[in-house]
Each structure stands twice: as structure tokens, then as C-alpha cells.
Amino acid sequence: MNAWLPNHLKTALLAIAALGLAAGLALRVAGLPGPADFVWAAGVAPVLAALLIEIVRGLSKGEVGLDIVAVLSMSAALLVGETLAAAVVAVMYSGGTFLESFAEGRARREMSDLLSRVPRTATRYSNGALDEVPLNAIAPGDLLLIRQGDVASVDGTVESDRAVLDQSALTGEAMPVRLDRGQDVMSGSTNAGEAFDLRATRRAAESTYAGIVRLVEAAQASKAPMARMADRWSLIFLAVTLALASAAWWSTGDPIRAVAVLVVATPCPLILAVPVALVAGMSRAAQFGVLIKGAKPLEALARIKTLILDKTGTLTDGRPQLVSIKTLGDMSEDEVLYFAAALDQASKHPIAQAIVSAAQQRDAILPVPENVVEMPGEGVSGTIGGRKAVVGGARFVASQGGKADADSAVTAAGSVVVSLAVDGKLMGHLVMADALRSGTAGLLAGLRRQGITRILLATGDRRAVAEAVTDGLGLDAVRAELTPDQKVLLVLTERKNGPVMMVGDGVNDAPALAAADIGVAMGARGAAASAEAADVVLLVDSLDHLLSGIEIARRSRRIALESVAVGIGLSVAGMIAAAFGYLTPVQGAMLQELIDVAVILNALRALRIMPTQAAKSGDPNQVGHEAPDLKTHTV
């Protein structure tokens, strides 16, 4: 009801109706029936007016819903003097529909923290100083400073000797790339190395990032609207209600019987059971780290048949991990890792930090390196315990005196080799890769058990990497080297097989997330653009939670259907009784209220749904996930 009204006006309508009902009851108890009828009518009038506007707006779009039954019941009750019945209907109807808007408003508020990461300003050189300026103030030719961790806000070229950038959000390539002076930088790339200067070549509104945002908007505009469960059943119930009311009036000549039938029909379980069960399911899903942005997405989540997965940050961890260590000299694997990690403590490069983390996981106590010299994006040299060490790319290590061994550095597609030389002798290689998340095969099997019949990979990464990471997973198809618009096309093409869900975390995934029937974003570390475009956000960086979210959605929908079936059966029985004169309008309103209470209590069972995986883990509020098994699957 009242999709055109802001939430605060919906709250006001509910408050007015409830206050009018309570005040009228107080006046009736005080022996003032005339003022009581007036107060009840006054409480009904705003709700009735809003419903009439909604009906007109709906009819202009070719939509017919249960709002007609509510208007007929309230207006007919007022016309025949059954003001109390009208007041009860107004309170219950406005209260039931308020639940949906409340849940959607809460979901939007919870998104605010995720969206706060979008860059709004840039640091620009101006008259020998640095100024923080809004994006729309940047013009082609401006020189910008991109600090470590900053996101390039506009397209440009590197003005420093080199830059190390994380472009995974845009291209799906997990490993940072090195760009030399004059090479192009895409807006949306994150500086993974030392600060560098960027010469803007486009305005922010014309940049790569802005183009993807426009693609998101176009995909959202073309997305087919999801019909509510209540909308799909409302015409049948409306026809039954009007037929019974008309038959009662025609056969007896008593309009009161028709009013009683209409009052019993509203508020009906279609209005109350569905939103209560779905809102309860949304709340339950949120406890498991799954933020669902409204009741409609939860319904759609329960009917998904095709799943399209991004690679980087979704199937894989999205960060470099130590896969293996190959020794060449007289050092053991632990000693190679010890020297490399000790020296890499001086670097902020993502691969260096991953090596340090790997050593710390093995409880290594790392000494402080001395005489450190870092070549950003190349490697680090220094002294560890009096021994000269060099760690970095094979060419860098060779240039620092470590003998190169190209054959030993060959590894699988998508991997990066870090070499270590100690005292001028090559000691080994550390193989880094974006590893497949542990338990992925079991997770995909669980998703198939939930009714998903087709699972595909869609990535902007190279085909060799995509095929390597999915080896043995049993996917139905692998699509690699895709641009954002090609991902959208894939989503639209797969709709022939049923409702489609797209899961991703990068800016390049946002258009496909918007185009899918259900878009799911990895919100813990994903791009704000993907979180904004998605219908569902995983607040915990684990696909396990998606499995729990789908199970909760399916069981919530089943509870809603059960509540509707039982509630409508009781309502129809009450309508028949009213048609034969066994119920007055007020009695019918009270009976329907009892039915609604029973329906709501049953729908609230969705708050206690325990996903199968969480039940196995023994934790009612969290689905655990293991650390990635780096020796099982790599890219």
C-alpha cells in the first residue's frame, strides 16, 4: 500500500488509525456513542484517502490489488454506520503494509556504512601546494597525488617513474600490476604501492568508473520488476470476496451482510502473513551476515535457478596467498620464508605483506631488517642477521647479484613468483597466487541441493587463470575475459533457464548485479558500487553465508505460503458465515483479527529458522568458514 508515500507518512497513517480506534473505544465506554463514531470515522478517513490515491495510481498502470477490498470494506462500513468495524480494518491494514516499508528502510540504513567508501575528493597539485578538491573540479591536465591505499578517482597517466595498482575491482585480476611512466591508469584502481603522481586525462563524469555507474543505472532501469506473492494471488481473492459479498446482498437484500463479508476479507492473510514472514526471514538472515534489501528480493532469492559467480574475491580470496616454496640452495622451506618475510617487513606491497603473514602463521619470530632499500614494485634488499638478502621479482634479484634461474621460476597461470637470494646466491622461490576458497566444491554442491540447477563462472580475468581456478569444480560453463557489458549480456542470456543470481565484489560486477534477478555483493571487502547495485550483501567475507541466506529465504517463503493457505481458508469460512448472517460487521472484524493474530504468530516462526550448516556447526548466530587450503586449489 502507498508505495508513493514516504515512510514517515506511512507511520503517521498507522498512528492516526490506531489513535482513532483507541479514542473511539474510550468514548464508547464513557457512554458517548456519537462522538465515538465521529472519532472512528476521522481515524479511517486518512487511510481511506491514501488507499483511493493508490488505487487510481495502480489502475493507471494496469495494476489491480487487494487495496480495492480494503477501500470497499471501510467505505461500505462507514456508509451503513459500522464505524468500529471500519476503524479495526484501517488499523490492521495500515499496520500490515507498514511492516514491509519498515524492513526495507532498515536495510537501506544498514547500507550507509558500506557506501561510505566511495571516493568524493582528490588531492591536486596547485601552485606548489596540495589541495583537497571535489571530483567535479578536476579537469584534464591536472596533476593529482595518489597516496598509498587511495582509489584513482579519474582516468589518467602515470607521471612518476612507476606505480603499483590493484585493478581487481575493475578487471578481476587479483595480482597487483606495475605501470611505468606514461602508462594509462583506470579510475577505480587502488594504489597498492608507494604514492605516485597521476596526470588526469578525463573528467570524473567521463571516466571508466563513471561509465560503469551509468551501465549500472541502465541495467537497473531495464530490470524486470519482481512481483510480490500477495500481488500474484490478490486477483483470485478479490474475485472470491466480491462474488460472496454480491451474492449475500442480492439473495437477502441486506447490505449489512455484504459489508460483513468485506470486513472479514480485510485485512486478510495475504496482507499480513507474507510481509511478516518475509520481514522475519530478513531479520534472521541478517544474523547470519546476509543483508537482504527488502521483501521482494527475499522472495526472488527463494526461486533462483541459475547462479553466475565472479572469480576474484568471490570464488577466490581476492588477495595473494603463499601457495608453495621451492628451495634451490642449502636452505629449508622455513628458512627461505624466514629470510623473505623478515626483509618484506619493510615493504607495504600486498605480496610482501602476504609473505610476512604466512611466516607469522607459522609462528616465526622475525628480526628487524637493516640497511633496507626498496624499489617500489620490484623488490627489497637489506641485511638479516649480518647476511645480505634480496627478495622480489626474478629480474630484480638477478640485478642485485642473485643468480637467476628462469626454469625454476615457471609456475601455473595466474601465479606470481617471488625470488630470494642470500649472500649473492639464489636460495629459492615463493609461489604466490589468489587461492580458491576452502570448501568451494562442497559449497557449490550445497547450492545445487537448494534448487540451483546451473552454475557458471564469469570473470574479466584471463581464460587460462579462469580454467585453472575452476578445475574440478563441475561448473556448467566458464566465461573469461568479459567486460562489464558482456557480463550483463550473459545474465540476460541465462534468464531463459530461470531466475538468475549474480555474485560479485568488484566495480566491474556492478552492472551485472543490477541486471540479475538477484544481485549478491561481497560487502566485507567488495566495492561500494557493487554493494549499492546488489539486492543482497554478504556482510561476512564467506560464500558459506550465501548458502544460509538462500535456505532462510526458501523456508521463510514456505512459512508465508503455509500461513496464507491456512489464513485464507479460515477467512473464506468466516466470509461464508457472514454471508449467511451469522456474523455482524464488528464480529467479522474481530474474528478476522483473531485469524490475523494466528497467522502472524505462525509467520514469526521464520525468526527461529536454523540453517542446516549453522546447525551442524553448533553456532546459532554464525556460520563458520575455514581458512583457504592453499595446497588444494590455486590459480
Side-chain angles (χ1 to χ4, degrees), residues 14-35:
L14 175 59
I16 291 171
L19 183 61
L21 176 62
L25 288 173
L27 290 170
R28 178 62 69 88
V29 171
L32 300 171

mmCIF file of all heavy atoms in Angstrom, residues 14-35:
data_model
loop_
_atom_site.group_PDB
_atom_site.id
_atom_site.type_symbol
_atom_site.label_atom_id
_atom_site.label_comp_id
_atom_site.label_asym_id
_atom_site.label_seq_id
_atom_site.Cartn_x
_atom_site.Cartn_y
_atom_site.Cartn_z
ATOM 1 N N LEU A 14 -0.641 5.032 10.194
ATOM 2 C CA LEU A 14 -0.857 3.979 11.178
ATOM 3 C C LEU A 14 -1.157 4.569 12.552
ATOM 4 O O LEU A 14 -2.065 4.101 13.257
ATOM 5 C CB LEU A 14 0.370 3.070 11.245
ATOM 6 C CG LEU A 14 0.351 1.971 12.316
ATOM 7 C CD1 LEU A 14 -0.845 1.051 12.125
ATOM 8 C CD2 LEU A 14 1.655 1.170 12.289
ATOM 9 N N ALA A 15 -0.417 5.603 12.925
ATOM 10 C CA ALA A 15 -0.633 6.228 14.235
ATOM 11 C C ALA A 15 -2.024 6.860 14.337
ATOM 12 O O ALA A 15 -2.711 6.739 15.364
ATOM 13 C CB ALA A 15 0.450 7.273 14.489
ATOM 14 N N ILE A 16 -2.450 7.536 13.270
ATOM 15 C CA ILE A 16 -3.775 8.173 13.283
ATOM 16 C C ILE A 16 -4.868 7.129 13.409
ATOM 17 O O ILE A 16 -5.827 7.289 14.192
ATOM 18 C CB ILE A 16 -3.964 9.020 12.001
ATOM 19 C CG1 ILE A 16 -3.045 10.245 12.037
ATOM 20 C CG2 ILE A 16 -5.419 9.463 11.861
ATOM 21 C CD1 ILE A 16 -2.997 11.007 10.726
ATOM 22 N N ALA A 17 -4.752 6.044 12.620
ATOM 23 C CA ALA A 17 -5.774 4.999 12.670
ATOM 24 C C ALA A 17 -5.830 4.340 14.053
ATOM 25 O O ALA A 17 -6.914 4.104 14.602
ATOM 26 C CB ALA A 17 -5.501 3.953 11.596
ATOM 27 N N ALA A 18 -4.653 4.033 14.627
ATOM 28 C CA ALA A 18 -4.620 3.401 15.946
ATOM 29 C C ALA A 18 -5.141 4.335 17.030
ATOM 30 O O ALA A 18 -5.891 3.919 17.931
ATOM 31 C CB ALA A 18 -3.188 2.960 16.258
ATOM 32 N N LEU A 19 -4.763 5.607 16.953
ATOM 33 C CA LEU A 19 -5.236 6.580 17.946
ATOM 34 C C LEU A 19 -6.752 6.767 17.844
ATOM 35 O O LEU A 19 -7.453 6.844 18.864
ATOM 36 C CB LEU A 19 -4.525 7.915 17.735
ATOM 37 C CG LEU A 19 -4.857 9.031 18.749
ATOM 38 C CD1 LEU A 19 -4.469 8.599 20.151
ATOM 39 C CD2 LEU A 19 -4.126 10.323 18.360
ATOM 40 N N GLY A 20 -7.255 6.810 16.597
ATOM 41 C CA GLY A 20 -8.697 6.951 16.413
ATOM 42 C C GLY A 20 -9.447 5.765 16.976
ATOM 43 O O GLY A 20 -10.504 5.933 17.624
ATOM 44 N N LEU A 21 -8.943 4.542 16.761
ATOM 45 C CA LEU A 21 -9.593 3.354 17.304
ATOM 46 C C LEU A 21 -9.605 3.385 18.824
ATOM 47 O O LEU A 21 -10.649 3.143 19.461
ATOM 48 C CB LEU A 21 -8.884 2.093 16.809
ATOM 49 C CG LEU A 21 -9.393 0.758 17.359
ATOM 50 C CD1 LEU A 21 -10.850 0.532 16.970
ATOM 51 C CD2 LEU A 21 -8.517 -0.402 16.878
ATOM 52 N N ALA A 22 -8.456 3.707 19.428
ATOM 53 C CA ALA A 22 -8.367 3.727 20.887
ATOM 54 C C ALA A 22 -9.247 4.824 21.490
ATOM 55 O O ALA A 22 -9.961 4.606 22.475
ATOM 56 C CB ALA A 22 -6.913 3.927 21.310
ATOM 57 N N ALA A 23 -9.210 6.009 20.902
ATOM 58 C CA ALA A 23 -10.010 7.120 21.430
ATOM 59 C C ALA A 23 -11.506 6.836 21.293
ATOM 60 O O ALA A 23 -12.317 7.140 22.189
ATOM 61 C CB ALA A 23 -9.654 8.411 20.701
ATOM 62 N N GLY A 24 -11.914 6.248 20.167
ATOM 63 C CA GLY A 24 -13.322 5.914 19.977
ATOM 64 C C GLY A 24 -13.801 4.882 20.979
ATOM 65 O O GLY A 24 -14.927 4.973 21.496
ATOM 66 N N LEU A 25 -12.964 3.874 21.247
ATOM 67 C CA LEU A 25 -13.325 2.879 22.261
ATOM 68 C C LEU A 25 -13.492 3.522 23.629
ATOM 69 O O LEU A 25 -14.423 3.186 24.381
ATOM 70 C CB LEU A 25 -12.263 1.778 22.312
ATOM 71 C CG LEU A 25 -12.226 0.808 21.118
ATOM 72 C CD1 LEU A 25 -11.018 -0.109 21.221
ATOM 73 C CD2 LEU A 25 -13.511 -0.018 21.061
ATOM 74 N N ALA A 26 -12.607 4.460 23.966
ATOM 75 C CA ALA A 26 -12.717 5.152 25.253
ATOM 76 C C ALA A 26 -14.018 5.950 25.339
ATOM 77 O O ALA A 26 -14.692 5.963 26.381
ATOM 78 C CB ALA A 26 -11.508 6.066 25.450
ATOM 79 N N LEU A 27 -14.376 6.615 24.244
ATOM 80 C CA LEU A 27 -15.626 7.388 24.237
ATOM 81 C C LEU A 27 -16.840 6.471 24.315
ATOM 82 O O LEU A 27 -17.830 6.798 24.993
ATOM 83 C CB LEU A 27 -15.692 8.244 22.958
ATOM 84 C CG LEU A 27 -14.712 9.415 22.883
ATOM 85 C CD1 LEU A 27 -14.701 10.031 21.490
ATOM 86 C CD2 LEU A 27 -15.080 10.480 23.933
ATOM 87 N N ARG A 28 -16.793 5.331 23.656
ATOM 88 C CA ARG A 28 -17.922 4.397 23.716
ATOM 89 C C ARG A 28 -18.089 3.851 25.134
ATOM 90 O O ARG A 28 -19.217 3.744 25.631
ATOM 91 C CB ARG A 28 -17.697 3.256 22.728
ATOM 92 C CG ARG A 28 -18.776 2.184 22.735
ATOM 93 C CD ARG A 28 -20.146 2.746 22.329
ATOM 94 N NE ARG A 28 -20.188 3.131 20.951
ATOM 95 C CZ ARG A 28 -20.510 2.316 19.945
ATOM 96 N NH1 ARG A 28 -20.802 1.062 20.169
ATOM 97 N NH2 ARG A 28 -20.558 2.786 18.703
ATOM 98 N N VAL A 29 -16.971 3.519 25.784
ATOM 99 C CA VAL A 29 -17.034 3.049 27.178
ATOM 100 C C VAL A 29 -17.585 4.137 28.082
ATOM 101 O O VAL A 29 -18.318 3.877 29.056
ATOM 102 C CB VAL A 29 -15.637 2.597 27.661
ATOM 103 C CG1 VAL A 29 -15.642 2.317 29.160
ATOM 104 C CG2 VAL A 29 -15.200 1.351 26.891
ATOM 105 N N ALA A 30 -17.266 5.399 27.767
ATOM 106 C CA ALA A 30 -17.755 6.524 28.574
ATOM 107 C C ALA A 30 -19.218 6.860 28.291
ATOM 108 O O ALA A 30 -19.758 7.818 28.850
ATOM 109 C CB ALA A 30 -16.881 7.751 28.332
ATOM 110 N N GLY A 31 -19.855 6.092 27.396
ATOM 111 C CA GLY A 31 -21.259 6.336 27.110
ATOM 112 C C GLY A 31 -21.505 7.445 26.118
ATOM 113 O O GLY A 31 -22.571 8.072 26.146
ATOM 114 N N LEU A 32 -20.551 7.681 25.211
ATOM 115 C CA LEU A 32 -20.692 8.734 24.199
ATOM 116 C C LEU A 32 -20.576 8.109 22.808
ATOM 117 O O LEU A 32 -19.571 8.258 22.107
ATOM 118 C CB LEU A 32 -19.599 9.802 24.401
ATOM 119 C CG LEU A 32 -19.603 10.513 25.770
ATOM 120 C CD1 LEU A 32 -18.360 11.361 25.938
ATOM 121 C CD2 LEU A 32 -20.867 11.374 25.904
ATOM 122 N N PRO A 33 -21.643 7.410 22.365
ATOM 123 C CA PRO A 33 -21.553 6.714 21.078
ATOM 124 C C PRO A 33 -21.427 7.652 19.885
ATOM 125 O O PRO A 33 -20.734 7.323 18.909
ATOM 126 C CB PRO A 33 -22.872 5.930 21.024
ATOM 127 C CG PRO A 33 -23.800 6.664 21.935
ATOM 128 C CD PRO A 33 -22.938 7.216 23.035
ATOM 129 N N GLY A 34 -22.085 8.810 19.920
ATOM 130 C CA GLY A 34 -21.998 9.739 18.791
ATOM 131 C C GLY A 34 -20.583 10.228 18.556
ATOM 132 O O GLY A 34 -20.049 10.097 17.428
ATOM 133 N N PRO A 35 -19.942 10.827 19.574
ATOM 134 C CA PRO A 35 -18.538 11.237 19.393
ATOM 135 C C PRO A 35 -17.616 10.078 19.043
ATOM 136 O O PRO A 35 -16.647 10.237 18.296
ATOM 137 C CB PRO A 35 -18.174 11.838 20.753
ATOM 138 C CG PRO A 35 -19.476 12.311 21.307
ATOM 139 C CD PRO A 35 -20.488 11.299 20.850
#
